[in-house]
């Protein structure tokens, strides 16, 4: 069939976070009777082939529910379903916000950024030499009370609280310079890697994280958060998890 897409894994670059994997491939369109012999691909003489960059997003099937939000160059879009995952086509910088849920495993959330077709994600703008790190105002964003309800799990309180603090500092080049998206992803990686003393405590952490994330979404609905705002948001959480 002339319009069947044939995925070639000759060049495959994988971005994996365990539960969600993004695999970059080459897609060959406009071919008839594709046949692979060794490292060669033979097609029908009436083919008019074209090759493009694509990505296949695979989702861990062991989770019962999943919610994936895709953006291309900042704009929401719905990708094509492909097997048990999704097929991403077209040049651009992509952001994937993935949330998975399972009654036994709890909630998993992460943000993944990748690019296709030669597009390049914009690096975070380095801070000016005279940039002053903002001073958080206690309770400014309504996260203090939520942060104070963290589970009674001293080891993870320290680890996760430090992750929020490090992420905030990295927005201003303290430690490493990171974008907001990268800093949030760093927090999620630490949170998802935690080891709970019991399933009950793990569920308490999942509930805690969901409340924090929901409050941040409420804040974003009311205003566009600047880098300074994000610093204050993350520090308000870190300071009140003690």
């Amino acid at each position: 069939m002339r319009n069947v897409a044939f995925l070639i894994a000759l060049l495959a670059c994988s971005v994996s976070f365990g539960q969600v994997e993004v695999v970059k491939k080459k897609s060959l369109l406009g071919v008839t009777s594709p046949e692979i012999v060794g490292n060669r691909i033979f097609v029908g003489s009436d083919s008019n082939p074209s090759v493009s960059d694509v990505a296949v997003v695979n989702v861990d099937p062991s989770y019962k529910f999943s919610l994936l939000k895709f953006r291309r160059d900042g704009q929401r879009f719905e990708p094509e379903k492909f097997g048990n995952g999704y097929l991403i086509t077209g040049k651009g910088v992509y952001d994937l916000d993935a949330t998975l849920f399972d009654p036994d495993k709890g909630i998993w959330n992460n943000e993944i950024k990748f690019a296709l077709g030669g597009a390049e994600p914009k690096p975070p703008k380095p801070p000016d030499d005279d940039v002053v790190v903002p001073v958080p105002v206690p309770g400014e964003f309504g996260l203090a009370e939520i942060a104070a309800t963290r589970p009674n799990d001293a080891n993870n309180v320290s680890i996760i609280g430090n992750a929020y603090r490090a992420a905030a500092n990295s927005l201003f080049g303290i430690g490493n310079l990171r974008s907001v998206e990268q800093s949030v992803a760093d927090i999620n990686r630490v949170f998802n890697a935690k080891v709970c003393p019991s399933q009950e405590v793990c569920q308490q952490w999942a509930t805690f994280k969901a409340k924090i994330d929901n409050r941040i979404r409420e804040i974003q609905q009311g205003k566009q958060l600047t880098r300074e705002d994000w610093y204050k948001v993350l520090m308000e959480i870190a300071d009140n998890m003690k």
Side-chain angles (χ1 to χ4, degrees):
M1 294 177 64
R2 181 177 298 274
N3 293 321
V4 172
F6 187 76
L7 294 176
I8 314 171
L10 295 178
L11 176 60
C13 176
S14 175
V15 180
S16 177
F17 288 87
Q19 289 82 349
V20 175
E21 181 184 45
V22 178
V23 183
K24 294 182 181 180
K25 296 177 180 287
K26 295 288 186 180
S27 174
L28 179 62
L29 292 170
V31 303
T32 62
S33 306
E35 180 183 0
I36 300 177
V37 179
N39 64 350
R40 293 180 181 272
I41 300 175
F42 295 96
V43 299
S45 59
D46 59 342
S47 297
N48 184 22
S50 64
V51 179
S52 62
D53 293 324
V54 302
V56 176
V57 178
N58 299 311
V59 181
D60 186 344
S62 66
Y63 282 78
K64 292 190 176 181
F65 305 98
S66 63
L67 176 62
L68 277 65
K69 297 179 181 179
F70 295 87
R71 291 184 181 273
R72 180 194 293 118
D73 297 328
Q75 301 298 315
R76 284 285 303 273
F77 77 100
E78 293 296 329
E80 176 186 344
K81 287 285 292 181
F82 186 77
N84 292 326
Y86 299 88
L87 178 64
I88 310 296
T89 62
K91 178 179 178 180
V93 175
Y94 292 84
D95 292 281
L96 167 58
D97 183 356
T99 302
L100 309 182
F101 173 74
D102 184 85
D104 296 325
K105 300 179 180 181
I107 299 174
W108 181 91
N109 176 261
N110 215 328
E111 294 184 8
I112 303 172
K113 183 184 289 288
F114 60 97
L116 292 178
E120 293 293 339
K122 294 181 179 179
K125 180 181 177 182
D128 298 329
D129 292 338
D130 59 350
V131 166
V132 178
V133 176
V135 178
V137 177
E140 179 178 1
F141 291 98
L143 285 156
E145 291 184 0
I146 300 175
T149 66
R150 83 293 185 281
N152 185 20
D153 177 11
N155 185 54
N156 282 321
V157 167
S158 176
I159 293 172
I160 296 171
N162 286 338
Y164 277 102
R165 189 177 305 280
N169 285 329
S170 70
L171 296 175
F172 287 87
I174 301 174
N176 293 302
L177 178 63
R178 307 283 278 170
S179 68
V180 171
E181 292 79 7
Q182 290 171 325
S183 295
V184 172
D186 290 341
I187 293 170
N188 289 334
R189 274 193 291 273
V190 172
F191 184 85
N192 293 327
K194 69 185 179 302
V195 177
C196 301
S198 68
Q199 183 61 40
E200 180 183 1
V201 172
C202 215
Q203 185 57 52
Q204 290 172 0
W205 274 115
T207 301
F208 170 82
K209 185 67 160 59
K211 289 180 179 179
I212 289 288
D213 291 346
N214 287 338
R215 176 55 190 153
I216 292 175
R217 293 189 186 98
E218 290 175 357
I219 297 168
Q220 289 178 295
Q221 291 175 358
K223 65 177 295 186
Q224 180 69 38
L225 295 182
T226 65
R227 183 176 288 260
E228 290 78 8
D229 289 332
W230 272 105
Y231 176 88
K232 293 179 181 179
V233 163
L234 299 180
M235 276 300 192
E236 185 171 324
I237 297 169
D239 287 343
N240 288 280
M241 282 185 64
K242 297 178 180 179

